[in-house]
Structure formats: structure tokens, C-alpha cells
Amino acid sequence: SRHAFLDSGGKMTDLGTLPGGAFSQAYAINSAGHVAGVADSGGTRHAVVWRDGHIRDLGTLPGGGARCAIAINDHDQIAGYAAGPDGYHAFLSTAGKMQALGTLGDDPSAANAMNEPGDVVGASNVTETSRHAFLWHGGRLYDLNTLIPPDSGWVLTAADGINRRGQIVCVGLHDHGPPSAVLLTPGSPPARP
């Protein structure tokens, strides 16, 4: 079996798993030491959070199954991906309520990171064969390719990190070349007349 662990002050602590399970994995930690990840319970994978030595199952999307928590912020908002009746979708869990963030046109979608204000970034299929990076901001899912100049030559395929300032790190293809790392920095709001 493989278990998630927390290393604090040179001491490694086994975070354990859900009852009946033999597997867990940690993906993110916040400044309070709360850890987001995944654990199984006899064959089904669950998005979980470890707080103060206890594991908590985050639940499911309506009609859903397997899920995984990938990111956590200092407000204990958690993002990841979960199975629903129509495929895998990125999710955001706030105050114990899990909501699907949707897709950019086709399944699957998955959240990869989030910041303190609760913005979420990840990737979603646009068609069966095309994937784009997304930003969830202000209750809306944006294709990051629509927020950059259309003549840039870039196709952003996945967003993997976002900081408090809203800077986003992505994987992108430039003029159909090999994958490259891309840093997006938000522009200033337009000046008022």
C-alpha cells in the first residue's frame, strides 16, 4: 500500500487513508497545514482533506463517483476533478459544498491550481481532440486563449499555477511548435475617460 505523509520539523507522519482503503496521495498544503489529496476506500477514489490529524471525504458531484483534490488555499477552498454523470469535471469545494466548474465544450476538465482569492486554473477539452487552458474567476469559466491577443501565435493547452496577483503559468504551443512554458501577467484595467 502507498500512503500520503506530512513532513514537519523533520518528523514524517503517515496521513493514512479512508476506512477499507490501502492508498492515499497528497497534492497540496496550505499555511495551516491542511492537506488536499486523494484516498481510496476499498477501490473507489475520494477527494479528501487532512486537517488536524483527521481525514475528511469531500463528497461527490451529483450522480458522481471517483474524484481527486489537487489544490487548497488558506480559506480551505479545494479544487480538483470529479466524475459526474456526463464525464469528469473540474470542481471547487467551498464550505463543504462541491460545485462543478464545467468544461470549455467537451469532457474532461480538471483543476490544477488555485490562489487565495479563489481563482482556479486547469485544462478542459474544447473538442474530442483539442484541449485548452482555463481560468475560473468570479463564477465564470474562461478559455485563456480568448484572453490573449488572437494574433499571438499561441495555443494555451493547460494552466498549472496561479498566484495572488493573478499571474498564471501555462503550457502552450507557439505556431504549432513543441510545448513551452508560458507566463501570463494580467494587464491593467482600461483607463477611465
Side-chain angles (χ1 to χ4, degrees), residues 113-126:
M114 69 185 309
N115 63 11
E116 292 311 310
D119 299 321
V120 178
V121 295
S124 170
N125 276 19
V126 179

Side-chain angles (χ1 to χ4, degrees), residues 32-46:
H34 302 162
V35 177
V38 61
D40 81 323
S41 65
T44 302
R45 294 199 171 190
H46 300 254

Side-chain angles (χ1 to χ4, degrees), residues 21-113:
F23 163 84
S24 63
Q25 187 163 333
Y27 286 103
I29 187 169
N30 68 15
S31 61
H34 302 162
V35 177
V38 61
D40 81 323
S41 65
T44 302
R45 294 199 171 190
H46 300 254
V48 297
V49 62
W50 289 271
R51 290 187 191 109
D52 306 317
H54 301 285
I55 188 172
R56 181 174 160 256
D57 187 334
L58 294 176
T60 65
L61 294 173
R67 59 254 184 224
C68 182
I70 299 293
I72 185 170
N73 68 14
D74 286 344
H75 304 290
D76 275 348
Q77 292 178 298
I78 299 167
Y81 59 88
D86 56 349
Y88 278 89
H89 290 256
F91 75 79
L92 175 63
S93 178
T94 303
K97 293 185 179 179
M98 185 182 288
Q99 75 178 94
L101 302 185
T103 71
L104 296 175
D106 204 356
D107 288 320
S109 68
N112 293 331

Side-chain angles (χ1 to χ4, degrees), residues 90 101 104 110-111 113-115 118-124 132-147 156 158-159 161-163 166-168 170 184 186:
L101 302 185
L104 296 175
M114 69 185 309
N115 63 11
D119 299 321
V120 178
V121 295
S124 170
H132 284 185
F134 74 73
L135 166 67
W136 170 266
H137 173 77
R140 185 170 168 206
L141 191 68
Y142 295 90
D143 183 334
L144 283 172
N145 291 282
T146 66
L147 303 180
L156 305 174
I162 182 169
N163 66 17
Q167 292 178 302
I168 300 170
C170 294
L184 302 179

